[in-house]
Each structure stands twice: as structure tokens, then as C-alpha cells.
Amino acid sequence: MSKNTTVYIDQLKHHVGQQVTLQGWLYNSRASGKIQFLILRDGTGLCQCIVEKGNVPDELFERIKHLGQESSLKVTGTVRADERSLGGHELAVTDAEVICPAEGYPITPKAHGVDFLMKHRHLHFRSQRQWCIGKVRHTVVDAIRRFFNDNGFVLIDTPIFTTVVGEDQTSLFEVDYFGRPLHLTQTGQLYLESAAMSFGRVYCFGPTFRAEKSKTRRHLTEFWMVEPEVAFIDLPGLLELAENFVTYIVRRVLADNRGELESLGADIALLERIQPPFYRLTYTETVEILKGDKTRDFLARELAELKSEKQQTESRIAELEQQQSGQIKQWQKDKIAAELIELRSALAELDTRIENNPTHAQLAAEFPWGKDLGGSDETIISRMHDKPVFVTHYPKEAKAFYMRTDRANDKVVENFDMLAPAGFGEIIGGSVREDDYERLLARIHAQGLDPGTHDWYLDLRKYGSVPHGGFGLGVERTLAWITGEKHIRQCIPFPRMMDKVYI
RNA sequence: UCCCCGAUAGCUCAAUCGGUAGAGCGAGCGGCUGUUAACCGCUAGGUUGUAGGUUCGAGUCCUACUCGGGGAGCCA
């Protein structure tokens, strides 16, 4: 008899006026005597469900009233459009079935600390912020695959257990492989180069592992990286590929996840400006900028801004504290308390930035040509620009053995990093590869590496060597930049950090 | 490996000069027919991270440790 259809919340707009059933979890609820507002989530979105006394049996009305957060249930009712409701649609409930009542759900709709949320990661997924980031991550990953698949690239799955060392031995996880030491991959690049000589354009996409002892908001020990590798390409060609690639990802997210970006508070205007060409600087130009007046003035201005921001925050805190001790209503006190908590944590961050500013200024001013750019240096350059910046031609000594020496200046290599704008920093690192057998062998020796383990890699330069290159893009860093999320650990479902694995 | 900050109720945080440990949220009960982190009233909830020290008296001061946060180096 029932022509009742079970639908997902994101399809409600197609069912206005119809009777439907939703299945999901109770995200939040408010009761007001004879009317209740249930916020239901079902994985596709949130929907406010209105339960009015008289429209459902009294017994059910009472039962729903005492349902805890995250109880699972089915609700049936009529879909109607209503501006007052989030999403613009709501359900006038006529019936409901509790599947599993929940009591004492630990993550309340109020504020929680990072450590608490990380320890409850398995539940934290259900929160709006994590849900939005997960949806954007899905789009980013799909856009990555689509871009390469649609542009003639062939997917090559490179091994996780590796015998070769891409960069620095100390940053590798060693595993006992039936008594023989192997390493978890930190790049698929060397294998990919061999594949590029077969397919021309290839890419690999998977998890990668770094044992660096880095405890910052930009580091994970396990993260996802996509690496294209192209035969017959030069540095300008690689930069063009990278900027088209990043632009494509950003456009896809803008098209598919505008609601999520808004909800996350991402800088949409900034994302809309992302289009080729990106800025191009050489390492030498970058060092000159860092040591020059522009950077000094920029940091001084930033310090002044931070200080005035701090002063404003402090006086606002004092003002609120004053109000708090006066005779006011309870709800006003709550509001003030919530604002105070926010202001105090903002103040702590301002203090850190004020404290770091002179150090960063000194590091930049005294930057010696030849050193690799530090995190703070990248942040400075990145903050000075409103679009991504390519930094190219780093000193040979600071870089990996496989990067191609610039034939016009043998102190530098034909490599590049791409810095995301507005302070997020590096999201891509890449290079043209050394294609000359003798030069590559010399570099292997110079860096104290074992030529024996690189036999097969050297072979690629023996049999029809061609100019080729590629780069690696960090998925979580890209995601953090796009979503405006401060910490990379929020951008992967189960983060693995130095010395810390929660679940 | 180094530097800075922190640990008080299930959660987020207060506690002035060293003087009996407080709010809100959440939980429980009651009220309210349009709420948007709803609101109002009542109830329960604590060995102040651990170990020692100073003191008539320590959440507060000192030492060590444990755990957590941020940053440097290095990197996607």
C-alpha cells in the first residue's frame, strides 16, 4: 500500500510534497514543548525534521524526545521547502522508527580539544567539518586521476617495499623483509622513470612514507602522493603541466564542493583566482628577495599588524571580562565565555607568530646561497603572492642525485618546488632528471651512494636515454591549502604522525 | 635532537596576593508550538597528570618525570 520511498537527504529537492523515509543518525535535537526539531544526517547531508505533537502517536513523541545524539533511526514524513531550515528543505514527520538508541555520545556540539578529538577519530568522522573535508578529498583524488587519465598518462603502480633510496636514508622506514632489510617507499619516481621509457607519460598514486622527525602542522609520516613522469619534457614543460594540473584540481573542487568550501570557511575568492600562469622565480632570485628590503619590510609590516591585532584581542578580552562580572543574563554570560575561549586561543597563536617573526626575519636576512629553503622562507615567499609560486634552479649540493644539472650553470639543477599561496607553503616538488650516464654516475659517487644498487637505474641512461622529468604532489597538503584547514592531520582519515598513532 | 607553552568535573575553561574548588556544555528531571551550538528552572558530577619538596596552609611556589600542543632542522 505504501508508496513510501526511502531517499537520501541530497535528493529531497526532487520530492517536495511527497511522503518519503530518511535513514540516518540524530545529529542534534531541540525540543520546545509540543514541537521538536531533529537534525538528521545520512551521509549525504543534514535535514531538519519537525515532530509536532498530534502528528505522531504520543508515545513515539515522548520516545523521540529522549533520544540521545547519534541514535540511528528512520523517519517518515512529508518533504516541504522552508527557508528557515538548513538546506532549504525539511521533513514534517508522521512516523519514526528507532534503530539503535545512543546515550552519552562523547563528542558534543560544543568545542573540543585536538587530543580529545584525535582519540575519538572513529566518531569524529561524523562531525560536519570532517565530513566536508572528506568530501573535498574525494573530489581532489578523483580530479587527480581524471586529469592524468584524460591526458594520455598511464597509471603505473610502483612498489611499497623498495630496494632503492630516493632521497635521504635517514628518512626511510626500514622493514624486515624475510631477514633482508627493505624500505617503505618514499617516492615511486625511480621506478616510474623506467616505466616512462615504455609508456611515455605515466603516473603513480599511493601512500608514501617518511621517517622524518618532523612535528609540525605540515607533516605526516604516512601521506598520499601522486607523481607524474614524462619522457621528452623540459623544465618549462613540467611547470606548464604542474600549473594546469593544480588549476584543474581547484576548478573541480570549486564546481563540486562549493557548499563544503563555504561551510569550512575556505577562501573561495582566492581559489577562483587560481589559473595559469603561476609566478616563476629562480632560487637565486628567491634568495635575493629573502635577503632584500622587500622581505624586511614585509615582515616588519606583518609584525606591526600582528602586534596591533594582539592589542585589539587583549582589549576585547578585558572588555568581555569586565562585562562578565557585571549583572547580566545567563545566556549573555555563555556567549561571552564562548567568545573568550576563542579569543584566548587566537591570542596564543598571535603570540607564537610574534615570537617567531624576528627569528624568521633573521633566517631570511642571513640566508646563505647554497642552503635549501626552510619552512619559514617558503612561508614568507608564499605569503607575498596571491597565486602559487614556482621556485626553480636550486643549488646542486642541496638536492638529490638524480636531478639534472643545468648545462648553463653547473652549480644548480633543473628542479622546482611549487608553493601554495597565502602562507601554506610547498605542495609540489619536482625536477628534470639527469639523463647523461657519466654525469649521473658521478653524482651517485659524489653523494656516497652505492652504484651497485643503482645499476638498473643507470641502465635507463644507457639504452635510449631521453630528456625526462616529473614531480610529486602531496594530497593532504593540497587539501589543507584548498580547504583552509590549518593542520594536515585533519586532511587524512587516520593520520600517522611522528611518535603518534591514535587508532 | 633542540627551543617555547600547557595538563583542574565526561567536554571546554575559570579560580585575584599561597587561604574552604567554580561556570557553561553534556547527562537526569520539569517547562515552553518555529528552534538554528535554542532558551528557562532543579539534580548529580572532583585524590586539580604522577612523585617528591617548601609552608601553619599548595590548583597556585620549587625539582624530577609522564602525556599533549606549537616551532626549528628536514621534507610532499
Side-chain angles (χ1 to χ4, degrees), chain A residues 156-177:
Chain A
I156 302 295
D157 295 313
T158 52
I160 304 283
F161 291 126
T162 65
T163 56
V164 290
V165 176
E167 321 252 330
D168 177 17
Q169 183 96 29
T170 59
S171 68
L172 288 161
F173 285 106
E174 192 175 296
V175 292
D176 178 359
Y177 192 80

Side-chain angles (χ1 to χ4, degrees), chain A residues 183-283:
Chain A
H183 298 101
L184 296 183
T185 183
Q186 57 172 187
T187 170
Q189 180 208 318
L190 304 193
Y191 297 103
L192 221 43
E193 284 182 53
S194 119
M197 301 306 140
S198 172
F199 297 92
R201 284 167 292 177
V202 294
Y203 73 102
C204 67
F205 189 17
T208 202
F209 308 86
R210 304 271 167 101
E212 291 148 12
K213 296 225 179 355
S214 303
K215 229 181 80 174
T216 81
R217 63 181 73 178
R218 287 207 292 266
H219 287 88
L220 294 169
T221 52
E222 176 183 316
F223 63 95
W224 281 64
M225 181 160 74
V226 57
E227 299 174 85
E229 188 74 27
V230 181
F232 300 105
I233 198 166
D234 56 8
L235 189 59
L238 272 179
L239 299 188
E240 208 177 304
L241 177 66
E243 66 191 355
N244 288 334
F245 176 50
V246 169
T247 302
Y248 179 81
I249 293 173
V250 170
R251 287 200 182 143
R252 271 289 305 279
V253 174
L254 282 169
D256 294 3
N257 300 100
R258 191 160 283 260
E260 284 82 15
L261 291 177
E262 280 166 6
S263 162
L264 288 165
D267 190 341
I268 293 177
L270 188 80
L271 293 176
E272 276 170 339
R273 277 204 294 278
I274 304 301
Q275 57 177 325
F278 295 171
Y279 299 105
R280 285 159 166 79
L281 295 171
T282 64
Y283 168 89

Side-chain angles (χ1 to χ4, degrees), chain A residues 118 121 173 208-210 212 214 216 218-224 476 487-490 492-503:
Chain A
M118 278 298 165
R121 188 65 169 182
F173 285 106
T208 202
F209 308 86
R210 304 271 167 101
E212 291 148 12
S214 303
T216 81
R218 287 207 292 266
H219 287 88
L220 294 169
T221 52
E222 176 183 316
F223 63 95
W224 281 64
E476 291 78 15
H487 206 300
I488 194 172
R489 75 182 147 214
Q490 305 299 357
I492 187 166
F494 298 99
R496 269 79 182 100
M497 290 161 286
M498 173 197 154
D499 288 343
K500 204 168 334 124
V501 175
Y502 284 96
I503 63 169

Side-chain angles (χ1 to χ4, degrees), chain A residues 393 396 403-414 434 439:
Chain A
H393 300 92
K396 192 197 285 183
M403 294 185 178
R404 186 175 195 268
T405 302
D406 185 356
R407 304 301 192 249
N409 174 4
D410 72 0
K411 285 193 171 56
V412 301
V413 288
E414 293 182 334
E434 183 54 70
R439 281 176 186 265

Side-chain angles (χ1 to χ4, degrees), chain A residues 302-320:
Chain A
E302 193 177 71
L303 185 61
E305 277 166 17
L306 288 171
K307 279 185 173 163
S308 100
E309 211 175 315
K310 182 184 172 176
Q311 212 161 38
Q312 281 171 25
T313 309
E314 276 173 339
S315 63
R316 177 73 183 147
I317 287 175
E319 189 187 327
L320 288 173

Side-chain angles (χ1 to χ4, degrees), chain A residues 298-345:
Chain A
F298 179 83
L299 285 174
R301 201 163 56 239
E302 193 177 71
L303 185 61
E305 277 166 17
L306 288 171
K307 279 185 173 163
S308 100
E309 211 175 315
K310 182 184 172 176
Q311 212 161 38
Q312 281 171 25
T313 309
E314 276 173 339
S315 63
R316 177 73 183 147
I317 287 175
E319 189 187 327
L320 288 173
E321 278 171 344
Q322 188 79 35
Q323 283 178 25
Q324 208 176 26
S325 58
Q327 287 280 334
I328 52 162
K329 295 234 157 118
Q330 186 59 52
W331 70 269
Q332 287 172 310
K333 282 194 181 180
D334 293 353
K335 228 177 139 178
I336 288 171
E339 194 178 341
L340 275 174
I341 290 167
E342 231 165 85
L343 287 173
R344 287 198 181 107
S345 91

